[in-house]
Amino acid sequence: SGAAPLPEETFRLVKEVFGRELIMGYGLSEATCASAVANPRDPVKWDSVGSPLPYTRIRLVDEQGVDVPTGEVGEIIIAGPTVMKGYYKKPEATAATIKNGWLYTGDLGRFDDEGYLYIVGRVKDVIIRGGLNIYPQQVENVISRIPGVEECCVVGVEEARWGQEVLAVIKKADGVSLTEDDVMKHCREHLAAYKCPRYVRFADALPKTATGKIKKNEVASTFSPIK
């Protein structure tokens, strides 16, 4: 599985139907599409993309480019023979992306003690509420476990008091009765209070790119209750 985060329910259903476990991988075009892949011979961790591929080096750094401790979240940077030389005829974009031989991906991740990499989200998608960081993927994983939730997208919307608030937009499965209160109650049971959505909206469909990724900017602008 690749291209977008894998919901736990999808992982469970594939295992149930096919008797096999999905493994995930991580990469981007600037690094020839694959930089980490879970080894099927290793214990499967459904929410991990595995460990770096041979000859590929991956570090997690803070805003100053300093490596973060194991278990903490940092920006994923990559070096190795698969990393591009640069963007064609775009020296400024290249300089902003490749620094001292490292490709700054804009993705956020963490390593566990066994060297497994977990994708947390995008730097630009982090919600900062009252000075506290909220990673949308964590909230989406919790909401996806609610029976009847087919898809969900969590984004930050600008708000005067806390800087940003959490908005969850949900596509329900056909025939499912699910209310805003149901979602709020579930989130309060599984998340810290500051991470829980302040707003919940339901949609018939979520806007997506040609490759099936949800357009978060469009979701935020379309469904934001704060105008």
Side-chain angles (χ1 to χ4, degrees):
S1 172
L6 177 72
E8 185 177 7
E9 179 67 7
T10 302
F11 176 85
R12 186 189 67 78
L13 284 172
V14 169
K15 183 176 180 180
E16 180 180 302
V17 172
F18 295 102
R20 295 290 186 272
E21 293 174 317
L22 273 175
I23 60 172
M24 284 200 288
Y26 165 75
L28 62 165
S29 299
E30 289 87 342
T32 323
C33 298
S35 296
V37 176
N39 188 329
R41 294 188 296 274
D42 293 337
V44 174
K45 302 183 181 185
W46 77 266
D47 53 346
S48 170
V49 296
S51 53
L53 289 172
Y55 310 110
T56 298
R57 291 173 290 159
I58 295 179
R59 294 166 53 205
L60 305 179
V61 300
D62 60 20
E63 293 177 355
Q64 286 72 46
V66 178
D67 291 80
V68 301
T70 298
E72 293 192 12
V73 174
E75 181 176 0
I76 299 170
I77 64 174
I78 303 171
T82 64
V83 172
M84 69 173 186
K85 292 183 177 180
Y87 295 109
Y88 183 62
K89 293 185 178 180
K90 293 184 178 180
E92 292 182 0
T94 298
T97 304
I98 299 181
K99 305 171 187 177
N100 298 319
W102 289 88
L103 171 68
Y104 281 67
T105 67
D107 293 319
L108 293 169
R110 64 177 177 84
F111 278 116
D112 67 14
D113 291 333
E114 297 178 277
Y116 285 78
L117 177 64
Y118 299 78
I119 308 302
V120 175
R122 294 282 294 166
V123 172
K124 65 180 182 180
D125 292 334
V126 173
I127 302 167
I128 304 176
R129 183 182 187 273
L132 299 173
N133 288 355
I134 301 169
Y135 302 105
Q137 187 175 330
Q138 182 187 16
V139 184
E140 290 167 353
N141 286 341
V142 168
I143 294 174
S144 294
R145 298 188 195 118
I146 302 174
V149 171
E150 188 170 303
E151 290 183 307
C152 72
C153 177
V154 171
V155 296
V157 291
E158 303 302 317
E159 191 264 352
R161 182 179 182 186
W162 299 109
Q164 284 185 305
E165 278 291 0
V166 181
L167 163 67
V169 181
I170 297 168
K171 177 185 177 184
K172 297 184 287 187
D174 293 341
V176 169
S177 176
L178 185 67
T179 68
E180 181 178 334
D181 287 341
D182 294 332
V183 176
M184 296 287 199
K185 181 176 183 295
H186 178 85
C187 289
R188 285 194 294 268
E189 291 173 353
H190 296 90
L191 291 168
Y194 75 92
K195 297 180 181 180
C196 293
R198 173 69 175 81
Y199 306 102
V200 175
R201 299 290 183 267
F202 296 97
D204 295 331
L206 296 175
K208 296 180 180 178
T209 67
T211 57
K213 295 181 181 180
I214 295 174
K215 298 179 179 179
K216 293 208 167 195
N217 287 344
E218 192 169 322
V219 169
S221 61
T222 302
F223 296 95
S224 174
I226 303 171
K227 303 295 184 181

